[in-house]
């Protein structure tokens, strides 16, 4: 089965065929760098990392461009507030973004272009449109003339008449058509500015992505991605400019991820409910953010709440506990068990097919996770811990770890050292649940004494008391002998 992707342009799943065999050029609109990014901004970064990994898994060489918008009204506003150059602001928040991004251990993009480094390409692009009469100049401002692009609206499904009718009253009366959009604008006092054939000014937003795309990747690219809010006008305008300039298709496949809401509300500064990726990863763990994002389909609105975070923690704890057990078996030299477990191997083969089918079906990560959990369940059901030295305990554990690691790499998940990760989860839950560690240790000590005195009734009582506090006591747990229930 070959890869099919839902293309916003056709509103259906289509078989994906790259322009050049085994080579994929993809571009995803990156952040405007004027602040810390919130967890919603990272939904795209995490999902499109998976897209790239899967394309590579299928044998394609991927060139992935993820840009930084470093000229923008919001950046300028912040720079003026702080009385610094706007580059100070953008460089600061690129650095902060990269700190967050690196914590996620995703693959590096081939290019992270900044708009300010492509100004001459932008000017050339705009000039090409002016020369070919697709754009016009008024008082140092350049507008794209939508009338010259008859298929305008093909991505968003909007029709030009409705767009004009829907324009607000404060339309710029200098424009030929109220829906014409800005390519280049004069800079006001204190704003970044560059010399251009139309005077000192700066680029409009949409032209930036088109210029960087055509400069770095070429006239036509395979995949363009972003959040659904970008379909209109940003991506619609990118198509008009891009195709207006070259007369060729600008991008074959358009992919859009839906939004992340928090407790049924859109995350927004005015509601005061934004959570930065930094704060989230400090409180939880980067693995939790990635796992959350991939356990929901990218085209579905994801409503995040505490219950989902808790489910995610339990899920990750199950996976890593199984991995830890399996690694224990592999490392235990006293164990035999090198025989093949045919029925388990068959199950893995069945889920290999299922995962390939799910990924090729427009990246259905929900189904991929379901397969992973079925394999975990089957591995745990072998109960190797109890049976210890079975004919196949070592071999099964080895193929299990390799299998999880293979799909983990594809999702940039499950790459942590299980024991360390489980301890980190414990430390995190101790903080989140306000668990009094001294009290737990004290009870553990009392339990130890009771056991030494063969007072098993008392020892069981203490175990129950700890259980009520959310603590699992297990003498097999390496280290402190207890853990937080997950
Ligand atoms: P911005 O910095 O606002 O231009 O947004 C950068 C990217 O994050 C864009 O691709 C947006 O579509 C995306 N984005 C913003 N808010 C959310 C959200 N709540 N959920 C998912 N994506 C978002
Ligand atoms: Zn863009």
């Amino acid at each position: 089965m070959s890869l099919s992707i839902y293309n916003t342009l056709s509103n259906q799943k289509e078989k994906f065929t790259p322009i050049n065999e085994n080579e994929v050029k993809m571009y995803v609109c990156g952040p405007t760098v004027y602040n810390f990014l919130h967890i919603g901004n990272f939904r795209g970064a995490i999902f499109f990392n998976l897209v790239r990994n899967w394309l590579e898994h299928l044998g394609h060489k991927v060139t992935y461009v993820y840009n930084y918008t470093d000229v923008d009204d919001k950046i300028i506003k912040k720079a003026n507030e702080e009385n610094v150059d706007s580059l100070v602001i953008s460089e600061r928040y690129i650095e902060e973004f990269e700190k967050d991004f690196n914590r996620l251990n995703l693959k590096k993009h081939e290019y992270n272009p900044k708009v300010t480094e492509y100004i001459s390409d932008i000017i050339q692009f705009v000039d090409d449109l002016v020369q070919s009469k697709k754009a016009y100049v008024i008082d140092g401002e350049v507008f794209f003339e939508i009338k010259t692009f008859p298929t305008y609206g093909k991505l968003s499904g909007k029709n030009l008449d409705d767009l004009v009718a829907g324009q607000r009253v404060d339309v710029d009366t200098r424009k030929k058509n109220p829906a014409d959009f800005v390519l280049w604008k004069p800079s006001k006092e204190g704003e970044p500015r560059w010399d251009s054939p139309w005077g000192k000014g700066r680029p409009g937003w949409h032209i930036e992505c088109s210029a960087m795309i055509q400069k770095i990747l070429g006239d036509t690219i395979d995949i363009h991605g972003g959040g659904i809010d970008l379909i209109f006008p940003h991506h619609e305008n990118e198509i008009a400019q891009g195709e207006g300039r070259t007369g060729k298709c600008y991008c074959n496949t358009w992919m859009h991820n839906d939004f992340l809401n928090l407790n049924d509300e859109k995350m927004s500064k005015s509601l005061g409910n934004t959570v930065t990726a930094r704060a989230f990863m400090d409180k939880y763990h980067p693995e939790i953010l990635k796992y959350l994002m991939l356990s929901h389909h990218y085209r579905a609105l994801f409503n995040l709440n505490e219950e989902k975070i808790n489910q995610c923690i339990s899920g990750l704890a199950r996976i890593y506990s199984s991995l830890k057990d399996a690694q224990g078996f592999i490392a235990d030299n006293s164990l035999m068990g090198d025989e093949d477990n045919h029925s388990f191997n068959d199950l893995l083969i069945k889920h290999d097919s299922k995962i390939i089918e799910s990924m090729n079906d427009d990246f259905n990560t929900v189904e991929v996770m379901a397969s992973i959990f079925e394999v975990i369940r089957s591995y745990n059901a072998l109960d190797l811990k109890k049976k210890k030295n079975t004919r196949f305990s070592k071999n099964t554990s080895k193929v299990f770890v390799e299998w999880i690691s293979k799909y983990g790499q594809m999702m940039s998940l499950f790459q942590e050292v299980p024991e360390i990760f489980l301890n980190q989860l414990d430390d995190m839950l101790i903080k989140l649940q306000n668990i009094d560690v001294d009290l737990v240790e004290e009870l553990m000590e009392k339990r130890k004494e009771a056991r030494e005195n063969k007072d098993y009734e008392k020892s069981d009582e203490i175990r129950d008391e700890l259980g009520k506090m959310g603590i699992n006591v297990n003498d097999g747990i390496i280290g402190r002998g207890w853990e937080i229930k997950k």
Side-chain angles (χ1 to χ4, degrees):
M1 187 195 168
S2 56
L3 173 62
S4 78
I5 302 182
Y6 185 92
N7 189 350
T8 311
L9 197 56
S10 62
N11 283 317
Q12 60 188 15
K13 288 181 198 167
E14 292 174 354
K15 181 177 181 312
F16 176 73
T17 314
I19 305 159
N20 299 324
E21 212 182 323
N22 296 335
E23 205 185 308
V24 176
K25 296 175 190 181
M26 69 185 263
Y27 181 95
V28 175
C29 294
T32 306
V33 278
Y34 68 101
N35 216 331
F36 286 92
L37 291 202
H38 60 64
I39 47 178
N41 297 129
F42 274 92
R43 188 173 186 190
I46 293 169
F47 170 67
F48 285 105
N49 171 71
L50 172 88
V51 171
R52 108 39 86 61
N53 286 352
W54 185 246
L55 289 164
E56 283 179 350
H57 180 87
L58 294 178
H60 302 296
K61 179 183 173 292
V62 179
T63 309
Y64 179 1
V65 182
Y66 186 80
N67 77 295
Y68 296 129
T69 295
D70 63 347
V71 205
D72 177 85
D73 290 344
K74 292 183 201 126
I75 302 173
I76 295 168
K77 184 165 172 275
K78 185 131 184 169
N80 289 340
E81 280 164 14
E82 291 191 22
N83 205 12
V84 292
D85 193 271
S86 71
L87 275 180
V88 173
I89 300 294
S90 57
E91 287 300 318
R92 181 197 302 160
Y93 289 106
I94 287 173
E95 204 175 296
E96 296 299 350
F97 167 80
E98 288 180 349
K99 280 186 207 158
D100 291 335
F101 185 83
N102 292 339
R103 276 175 88 179
L104 286 164
N105 260 328
L106 305 174
K107 260 219 183 114
K108 295 251 178 298
H109 313 105
E110 276 67 29
Y111 296 89
N112 288 126
K114 300 173 191 169
V115 175
T116 50
E117 290 169 355
Y118 286 80
I119 299 292
S120 61
D121 301 291
I122 293 171
I123 291 172
Q124 182 64 56
F125 200 128
V126 176
D127 197 39
D128 288 349
L129 292 173
V130 173
Q131 299 304 327
S132 61
K133 308 252 179 308
K134 305 266 165 57
Y136 56 94
V137 187
I138 298 171
D139 306 331
E141 196 153 357
V142 188
F143 295 97
F144 185 87
E145 188 170 0
I146 285 178
K147 205 183 72 194
T148 65
F149 192 66
T151 55
Y152 189 81
K154 65 181 168 184
L155 181 71
S156 56
K158 291 188 191 293
N159 113 5
L160 197 51
D161 294 338
D162 293 347
L163 281 175
V164 174
Q167 289 282 327
R168 305 238 172 95
V169 266
D170 57 351
V171 285
D172 186 342
T173 49
R174 299 170 307 159
K175 291 200 273 185
K176 292 188 186 174
N177 184 316
D180 290 348
F181 59 90
V182 163
L183 296 170
W184 185 266
K185 55 188 165 195
S187 298
K188 295 192 197 89
E189 196 52 41
E191 292 182 353
R193 61 184 61 201
W194 290 268
D195 285 325
S196 82
W198 320 285
K200 283 188 192 306
R202 61 186 174 105
W205 172 31
H206 318 299
I207 194 70
E208 303 166 351
C209 289
S210 299
M212 290 187 282
I213 283 180
Q214 294 196 342
K215 173 76 178 181
I216 301 169
L217 296 173
D219 292 348
T220 308
I221 63 170
D222 295 292
I223 295 175
H224 194 317
I228 45 165
D229 57 321
L230 300 183
I231 297 175
F232 187 86
H234 187 49
H235 291 164
E236 195 70 68
N237 291 352
E238 277 193 45
I239 295 178
Q241 298 155 170
E243 300 193 354
R245 182 195 204 188
T246 65
K248 297 180 204 158
C249 172
Y250 177 67
C251 167
N252 286 331
T253 306
W254 286 86
M255 298 180 71
H256 293 98
N257 63 279
D258 206 326
F259 262 45
L260 177 86
N261 281 3
L262 205 55
N263 301 317
D264 290 312
E265 276 177 342
K266 191 176 159 88
M267 250 191 298
S268 84
K269 284 226 182 81
S270 54
L271 287 171
N273 66 345
T274 53
V275 176
T276 62
R278 180 72 51 89
F280 190 94
M281 290 193 280
D282 285 346
K283 186 170 174 187
Y284 300 103
H285 191 285
E287 186 85 346
I288 295 176
L289 188 58
K290 285 190 281 189
Y291 182 88
L292 276 168
M293 298 297 186
L294 296 183
S295 53
H296 287 74
H297 195 272
Y298 78 98
R299 280 192 294 113
L301 179 68
F302 179 9
N303 183 35
L304 184 61
N305 54 36
E306 204 166 316
E307 193 191 339
K308 286 189 182 139
I309 296 175
N310 289 338
Q311 282 167 0
C312 161
I313 293 170
S314 305
L316 280 172
R318 275 189 70 195
I319 295 173
Y320 275 101
S321 300
S322 305
L323 285 173
K324 187 174 126 187
D325 290 347
Q327 287 180 351
F329 287 121
I330 297 167
D332 187 343
N333 290 331
S334 71
L335 285 183
M336 312 293 282
D338 278 342
E339 259 180 59
D340 270 331
N341 179 344
H342 294 293
S343 67
F344 189 72
N345 290 354
D346 287 347
L347 181 91
L348 294 186
I349 291 168
K350 183 180 115 191
H351 283 289
D352 276 331
S353 314
K354 275 198 161 180
I355 288 180
I356 292 169
E357 202 178 302
S358 305
M359 284 299 287
N360 278 340
D361 180 19
D362 193 32
F363 306 95
N364 192 340
T365 52
V366 181
E367 288 298 321
V368 173
M369 292 298 185
S371 274
I372 287 176
F373 274 101
E374 255 189 68
V375 167
I376 300 265
R377 225 181 340 266
S378 304
Y379 176 76
N380 290 343
L382 294 171
D383 219 358
L384 298 178
K385 224 177 192 166
K386 281 216 181 98
K387 295 180 203 146
K388 279 265 171 188
N389 223 344
T390 74
R391 293 192 330 273
F392 44 68
S393 45
K394 247 186 159 146
N395 193 311
T396 313
S397 300
K398 198 160 160 277
V399 290
F400 168 72
V401 169
E402 283 168 3
W403 192 88
I404 295 284
S405 164
K406 175 170 69 178
Y407 292 111
Q409 269 173 32
M410 179 188 93
M411 292 188 280
S412 301
L413 278 172
F414 319 140
Q415 309 296 304
E416 306 285 326
V417 177
E419 198 166 330
I420 296 177
F421 179 72
L422 289 166
N423 284 341
Q424 286 170 335
L425 275 192
D426 264 11
D427 290 343
M428 179 191 99
L429 291 168
I430 286 170
K431 264 200 219 145
L432 289 173
Q433 296 172 14
N434 257 330
I435 287 174
D436 183 344
V437 177
D438 289 344
L439 179 61
V440 175
E441 293 292 359
E442 200 181 299
L443 288 167
M444 286 295 289
E445 194 53 41
K446 281 193 181 145
R447 180 172 172 268
K448 194 170 143 219
E449 275 167 31
R451 279 161 65 93
E452 277 163 7
N453 297 332
K454 300 206 176 354
D455 186 351
Y456 296 114
E457 204 173 314
K458 172 108 187 168
S459 134
D460 285 350
E461 247 172 52
I462 296 174
R463 175 193 290 266
D464 291 346
E465 194 179 339
L466 284 162
K468 281 186 201 129
M469 291 166 64
I471 307 291
N472 270 338
V473 178
N474 182 342
D475 301 311
I477 297 170
I478 305 163
R480 51 192 171 197
W482 59 272
E483 64 183 5
I484 315 287
K485 285 184 190 162
K486 298 171 198 91

